[in-house]
Amino acid sequence: SGPMLFGKKLYTTSERWQRNSLLLLAAFDVLSLISTKRYHKLFFKSTLATRYQVKEVIGLTRILIPICVSSLFFKFTVIILAYIAFGDIQILDLLFTIIRFCCTATAIVEPMLLLSRHRLLQKQLRLLFGMLQLCYVLEPQPPNSKTIADVYFDAFNKELNKTRSR
């Protein structure tokens, strides 16, 4: 007994769709991990400026990889447990407890990993909690000292004058 949809019990139809959607979600995650080959092919065809920008992105990516790996671990654990939960109703309370733990652990582990791996965020966190004090020391420069730009442009002008006089 129970609600029917197209001659089938609604719970059975819902369970099959939920299982298929969990498998589809896991497939999307796996495909996103495999797509690095296309990235490498595009990277080596780019200009020097683009490669420099990509280098900056790679630095950030090195920070984010452990966060993504931990997220995927917890996510796959939740997907597997949810898939098992549809079949065995006797251990449903235990499975939901583990699922809640994984979701809570994700909410704690990801920000902690980000704060522990990102240099500027670590510095700001130390400033926030008073563990670090910034001291700015400004050195007075004499009025007739040359800057790096002055030296560069003086050398450039000398080279121009040499080529004109030849």
Side-chain angles (χ1 to χ4, degrees), residues 51-80:
R51 287 185 193 174
Y52 179 75
Q53 290 173 349
V54 169
K55 184 179 176 186
E56 295 293 323
V57 172
I58 287 173
L60 182 62
T61 304
R62 286 189 180 135
I63 294 169
L64 295 177
I65 284 175
I67 297 168
C68 293
V69 168
S70 70
S71 176
L72 283 174
F73 170 75
F74 287 122
K75 190 178 203 181
F76 282 139
T77 303
V78 167
I79 288 172
I80 290 168

Side-chain angles (χ1 to χ4, degrees), residues 74 101-114:
F74 287 122
F101 171 77
C102 287
C103 293
T104 305
T106 301
I108 295 170
V109 168
E110 288 179 10
M112 294 303 288
L113 279 173
L114 181 64

Side-chain angles (χ1 to χ4, degrees), residues 7-8 29 34 49 52 57 67 69 77 87 93 97 117 122 134 147 155:
K8 294 188 177 190
D29 287 336
I34 295 173
Y52 179 75
V57 172
I67 297 168
V69 168
T77 303
D93 288 337
T97 302
R117 295 189 54 88
Q122 287 176 358
L134 287 180
T147 64

